[in-house]
Amino acid sequence: MFDIAFSEMMVIAAIALIVIGPEKLPRVARTLGHLIGRMQRYVNDVKSDIQREVELDELRKLKESVEESARSIEQSVNQEINTARDEVREIESLTQSAVNAQDPGGSSAAPPAPESIAAPLATPSADPAAAASSTSTDQASGRSIDHKAV
């Protein structure tokens, strides 16, 4: 911090010994040492506070860059999802127009939607007794087949 050579310190010590006197010099030196120690601790605390603020600022910048990157990725994913939805709708419309072109009278029923096919399999019977005792007959052998849920 200060550039004081050893010879300069000896001159200051000699002047202090003459001005203060040999009786008070140890007490003054001890008090001066305590004050210098407090000053050094204060300077170190200020340095560490400044370092923490610099690190926090760097972390904020990093956080902002990560959030911007996440927004960019989210935006591109949403864009791809919308593109995929548009393609699926286009395929559905092409399929529907092909079905309508094959059957101009519309006499046959349209194929069921995938949700209506899977719905009976996913929902259990409302009557537990009927579900437990559901059986059918095998046409080839004439034997009764039990369809109990395991």
Side-chain angles (χ1 to χ4, degrees):
M1 200 157 107
F2 295 108
D3 253 356
I4 300 176
F6 183 73
S7 60
E8 292 170 345
M9 288 176 49
M10 293 305 290
V11 170
I12 292 171
I15 292 172
L17 181 62
I18 293 170
V19 172
I20 297 173
E23 299 90 26
K24 295 181 184 177
L25 187 61
R27 190 174 63 215
V28 170
R30 189 172 30 247
T31 304
L32 188 61
H34 286 295
L35 292 175
I36 290 173
R38 285 184 192 167
M39 184 178 67
Q40 286 177 344
R41 282 191 296 274
Y42 177 73
V43 168
N44 287 336
D45 287 345
V46 169
K47 281 182 182 178
S48 66
D49 287 345
I50 291 171
Q51 183 66 27
R52 267 191 239 117
E53 287 298 321
V54 168
E55 289 172 356
L56 281 174
D57 188 45
E58 290 173 359
L59 286 174
R60 284 185 193 115
K61 288 179 183 177
L62 179 64
K63 177 186 171 194
E64 289 172 2
S65 97
V66 167
E67 286 175 346
E68 179 63 33
S69 177
R71 278 192 290 272
S72 171
I73 290 171
E74 181 182 16
Q75 196 174 38
S76 67
V77 166
N78 285 337
Q79 185 179 12
E80 290 298 322
I81 288 172
N82 290 337
T83 303
R85 283 182 184 157
D86 292 342
E87 289 176 2
V88 167
R89 288 182 186 129
E90 182 180 339
I91 291 171
E92 285 178 348
S93 68
L94 289 174
T95 306
Q96 187 64 32
S97 65
V99 168
N100 290 341
Q102 285 180 350
D103 189 20
S107 62
S108 66
E115 297 86 22
S116 64
I117 292 173
L121 297 176
T123 57
S125 175
D127 184 15
S133 66
S134 67
T135 59
S136 63
T137 306
D138 184 11
Q139 295 295 329
S141 65
R143 287 189 288 165
S144 175
I145 301 173
D146 189 12
H147 298 285
K148 290 183 181 176
V150 179

